[in-house]
Amino acid sequence: MGIIRVLSDQIANKIAAGEVVERPAAVVKELMENALDAGAREIRIEVAGGGAQRLRVTDDGCGMVRDDALLALERHATSKLRDVDALSAIATLGFRGEALPSIAAVSRFRLETATATAAAEGGAGTRIEVAAGKIAKVEEAGLPGGTSVTVADLFFNIPARKKFLKSEATELGHITTLVTHYALAYPEIRFHLETPQRALLSLAPVASHAERLRQIFGPELVTQCVEFSETVNWAPELGGAPERDAADAPGLGLFGFASRPELQKLNRNSIFIFANRRLVRDRLLQHAISAAYTNMLPNNTYPAVLLFLDLPFAEVDVNVHPSKTEVRFRRQTFVHDAVRDAIRGALGVARPVPGFLRERQTRPSAAPTWSAGSGGRPWSEPVAVPFSPGVEADLGISIADLPSGFNLTAAPVPPSERRLPLESLESLEQPPVHRAAGPPVAWVPETGAGCGLREGQALALPPAADELAQLRPLGQIHDSFIVAAGPTGLWLIDQHCAHERVLFEQLSAQRRAVERGGPRESQRLLMPLIVELEPGRWQGFAELAPELEAAGFEAEPFGRTSLAVKAAPAGIAAEQVERLLREILEIAVAEERGVTAERVRTRVTATIACHAAVKVNMRLEPEKMTWLLARLAQADYPMTCPHGRPVLLRYSLDEIQRAFKRIK
């Protein structure tokens, strides 16, 4: 007798449910995507017990008639695909026809739905109750237009799966983050998320993604990000059919928000990517985002990015994984390069400079940035979670939920010290002096009699991208940091990092010129320098010989374990040549296998720039400081050195006035 058998429907449904329903957040995701595909303008999510006890998703979409509602609970039943050709250009979030039967197979499930026409005409809707995949009740009911799905006792019939769920707070956090992300992708839709205790999110429709970002996180996070938006025409495909030529296809739209280099994360959990407004995970695009921040962030740190891609449906395959979170792009290299160039170009135009006080408190964090309540703050401050109307922020609950007889009273106002003015009566009776109004940001207000405080004029605006060209050097601190005055405040410049950035971009430009056949810039040594190498570095020399030659080195084997160096890159002192060569050869030893040639080239260039740059504890003449600031202003990315450290810190005039207690 054979040992192969066909699984029962019950077992097959539970296996399929394990692929689609990983946790309560996965249920919310599937139901929200169904609501969005149904044309909903308002989505309401109610969660109890972290979603495992009960959750309900209600929308005002098109709804279903009785026959469609029953058929929707059958496996592989969907209204979103008609034929095989539709699989190559999927335009909806859902399409597999597995979500509802998979959820119903592992929970106590109730579906309530009515079409808008039936609801308007007073017709009946349909209510279906399912337990562990078996239909228990089907009845007519008076319902509003749209669909409401209630899922209770998730995994009640699979105790082993239920044990793997995390705490209620953790599961609720996953749901909140998921709803937040879809709210960012669909700003024109109203989202409401609540628990029995309070409303977590209540978002009215807005006109743009930027407004929705401000709505959720506040304006402060927007100032910590660089907004980018670009449309790229598709490059012609080699051997492609004329009907698929780039001139006939819509362009690749890229827009979103990228964090300033001062905001650093220890993982990629703050990178979120939406392809045609579908939340996806894609290693290719994560690599493109990391490549956009090359030489702007320290090693092993990552940015926070919200990336939205708008591209023809035929250019992306979403039928890769049952959860529909993994995709495959038809022209991967083109999409990768377009994302990298768009983000890097936006950072180059904005040239974000960190503030002195904020950078001092910044630490790389593993906490997600784009989650409700985080505020995206890179420094450690208490974070205010947005509460629904009627909820006291200090308590986290509604006043109506407090026991009877519990009254809140305002804290007594502490006495304030007052200083009597010592001016004479005549001076007080003098008419006020009218001064000419100065620039709105750089103006320092007079504080009046008694040096009393005045309200701040306005939030300090970030410096203009061209302000670096207007800096005026004042001197040095410990012969290491340049102090400069600018139109919007005081600037501190790390002279070594600044010169390193200038030389890095100069050497990179020379390296590209060499690839085009231009001359190498190097300096010949008076006598060849003999360098003894260990076996590991000797192997590194064999791997990096072409890069060393392009960088300006001229070296050849001299014996079994030695090199004779006859020339070195221009600007390197003779006593530093051997140390520089050893550090470059160490790159080949330390780098992981499979690293790209571009990464090795960048590391080599950064190492040369570091050795050639002016050092700390080095006195600079005023002319040299002026020259360095002028060259830095011409750099493409003057914010950080090639190793990711900040080059500039700005102490804004607003911060200076507050420190001197001139404004509140």
Side-chain angles (χ1 to χ4, degrees), residues 178-187 189 191 201 203 212 216:
L178 178 75
V179 176
T180 300
H181 296 153
Y182 273 93
L184 289 168
Y186 291 85
I189 294 178
F191 286 85
L201 286 174
L203 305 173
R212 178 54 60 88
I216 298 175

Side-chain angles (χ1 to χ4, degrees), residues 53 92 121 125 137 220 234 337 378 386 431 453 508 602 606 643:
Q53 177 183 340
T92 55
E121 297 176 354
K137 182 188 295 184
E220 188 174 3
W234 294 98
D337 294 348
L453 299 183
S508 298
T602 300
H643 303 98

Side-chain angles (χ1 to χ4, degrees), residues 175-211:
I175 294 173
T176 305
T177 300
L178 178 75
V179 176
T180 300
H181 296 153
Y182 273 93
L184 289 168
Y186 291 85
E188 74 278 11
I189 294 178
R190 180 186 300 274
F191 286 85
H192 183 85
L193 171 64
E194 68 175 30
T195 67
Q197 289 75 32
R198 60 170 178 162
L200 299 176
L201 286 174
S202 187
L203 305 173
V206 291
S208 66
H209 294 81
E211 291 183 44

Side-chain angles (χ1 to χ4, degrees), residues 242-273:
E243 61 271 13
R244 307 200 67 162
D245 189 76
D248 301 327
L252 170 63
L254 308 101
F255 61 96
F257 305 88
S259 63
R260 293 166 172 255
E262 65 201 75
L263 178 57
Q264 299 166 10
K265 295 297 178 180
L266 296 176
N267 51 44
R268 293 186 175 92
N269 292 345
S270 295
I271 297 177
F272 292 98
I273 302 166

